Amino acid sequence: MIQAKVKILSNIKAGPNYYRMTLACPAAAKKIKPGQFFQVRCGNKSLDPFLRRPFSVHNVDKKGNIEILYQTIGKATVLLSDKKSGDALDIIGPLGNGFEQRTANSERRTSIIVAGGMGVAPMLFLAERLVHRRQTTDHRKVIVLIGAKNKKNLLCEKEFRSLGCDVKISTDDGSKGKKGFVTDALKGLLNANRYTLNATLYACGPSPMLEEIAKIAAANKIESYGSFEEHMACGMGNCYGCVVKTKKGYKRICKDGPVFDLGEIEW
Ligand SMILES: Cc1cc2nc3c(=O)[nH]c(=O)nc-3n(C[C@H](O)[C@H](O)[C@H](O)COP(=O)(O)OP(=O)(O)OC[C@H]3O[C@@H](n4cnc5c(N)ncnc54)[C@H](O)[C@@H]3O)c2cc1C
Ligand code: FES
């Protein structure tokens, strides 16, 4: 883990309220696991807002540059969007546990990624790692289900496709892909492939989506791992401001997570 002021290489609009920021961060880049995040000081010298904000690692390139993908929804993210290439950004990370890419059971041949809304942010990096693993082991397929409110809020379709993933889109209003929630698409996929899929589910999105995925996974007897996007304060395990109830007691999302076995959560 590092705390450093790193150089912003670019901060580019990626959609109506979305930005992609690239940071030069070779000191941390090699050790990052998909699903880990950085705590970012978004304000300027006034320390306003006081609390750092968590952002997932969206991508890591060979030069040691880290990308984050973010949506402007409030004070900190708007301030972040104003930053220019060449500016310095104060970051702490990588933090959290990240996704384990399952390899132990060679029978598990399909990885299904479910990304709801801003939940796509950590999943591109995970998909890249899973695809790479697939080329070097017998993991056969990476299916990506992306859910968004509408076509305008749909992110990363092209990027997942260029990795070779089998991408399926759902939008709440039907403006692109299947109309409905991404969890409906997941149910459809598992029902259609009940006897052939032996899958691991990886998810990121709002809590109600993760809860539904936990139910679907239990009904289909498959394992599921989800990354929580809850509010955080310290982001480093000190304040207990981000707990989730699990079968083994309360766990801190920032330190013990943000990725949990969804079958272990007390919903
Ligand atoms: C582990 C983790 C990883 C994250 N990764 C990303 C990422 O890669 N890209 C990204 O855009 N965002 C990500 N987030 C969410 C991001 O941290 C918040 O959007 C950001 O803190 C908002 O700050 P703000 O000051 O702009 O908005 P605020 O003024 O703090 O909030 C504006 C509105 O958004 C709501 N809100 C704020 N944070 C959250 C949240 N975490 N979940 C749900 N609602 C929230 C508030 O209740 C309020 O209504 C992540 C969160 C966590 C916990
Ligand atoms: S935010 Fe402080 S313990 Fe998680």
Side-chain angles (χ1 to χ4, degrees):
M1 182 188 84
I2 58 154
Q3 173 169 7
K5 285 191 177 160
V6 299
K7 189 173 168 190
I8 298 174
L9 299 177
S10 63
N11 192 19
I12 298 165
K13 207 160 197 256
N17 297 306
Y18 301 103
Y19 290 79
R20 267 201 182 86
M21 180 182 272
T22 309
L23 304 167
C25 197
K30 275 188 189 154
K31 294 171 196 149
I32 300 173
K33 274 167 71 179
Q36 288 190 300
F37 65 94
F38 281 85
Q39 281 282 74
V40 175
R41 181 152 318 284
C42 298
N44 300 319
K45 285 178 186 154
S46 64
L47 291 187
D48 179 26
F50 181 68
L51 292 176
R52 290 171 182 269
R53 297 293 197 267
F55 295 96
S56 305
V57 175
H58 180 54
N59 222 343
V60 179
D61 73 16
K62 286 184 182 130
K63 292 181 199 155
N65 301 324
I66 294 170
E67 211 173 76
I68 59 172
L69 174 69
Y70 65 96
Q71 183 178 19
T72 49
I73 58 164
K75 190 165 190 171
T77 44
V78 168
L79 282 167
L80 201 59
S81 71
D82 286 340
K83 300 208 183 280
K84 305 277 177 282
S85 62
D87 288 352
L89 194 71
D90 185 339
I91 63 169
I92 301 178
L95 298 166
N97 57 356
F99 285 99
E100 291 301 332
Q101 296 126 71
R102 316 302 289 179
T103 52
N105 185 348
S106 61
E107 292 300 307
R108 298 192 184 282
R109 302 220 167 132
T110 303
S111 302
I112 304 176
I113 289 177
V114 187
M118 223 31 251
V120 293
M123 299 318 236
L124 187 68
F125 184 28
L126 175 66
E128 191 264 320
R129 288 291 165 92
L130 288 168
V131 166
H132 174 74
R133 193 157 293 222
R134 190 180 127 215
Q135 283 158 2
T136 53
T137 73
D138 69 347
H139 279 234
R140 293 225 174 121
K141 205 168 188 184
V142 180
I143 301 172
V144 181
L145 309 181
I146 311 176
K149 275 189 191 144
N150 53 44
K151 192 178 169 180
K152 280 187 186 165
N153 289 282
L154 190 65
L155 295 161
C156 303
E157 179 188 357
K158 207 173 74 189
E159 288 83 353
F160 283 116
R161 286 198 198 284
S162 64
L163 283 176
C165 302
D166 179 0
V167 181
K168 300 175 193 304
I169 306 292
S170 319
T171 49
D172 298 357
D173 65 357
S175 51
K176 177 123 194 218
K178 258 199 165 170
K179 185 174 180 181
F181 292 143
V182 69
T183 44
D184 298 329
L186 176 62
K187 275 185 213 160
L189 176 75
L190 293 173
N191 285 341
N193 295 278
R194 186 169 288 276
Y195 302 106
T196 54
L197 268 182
N198 195 351
T200 302
L201 289 179
Y202 302 94
C204 186
S207 285
M209 182 194 103
L210 297 181
E211 183 175 356
E212 183 62 18
I213 288 173
K215 287 181 194 156
I216 296 169
N220 286 276
K221 298 189 172 54
I222 54 180
E223 53 185 4
S224 61
Y225 300 88
S227 181
F228 284 72
E229 297 176 318
E230 299 303 315
H231 293 251
M232 282 182 186
C234 73
M236 284 185 283
N238 300 323
C239 72
Y240 285 77
C242 65
V243 292
V244 61
K245 195 173 179 188
T246 76
K247 289 177 180 158
K248 293 175 187 146
Y250 285 97
K251 300 280 178 191
R252 296 158 296 180
I253 291 176
C254 66
K255 183 88 176 172
D256 307 310
V259 178
F260 292 94
D261 178 339
L262 295 178
E264 289 288 304
I265 304 294
E266 296 276 9
W267 298 101

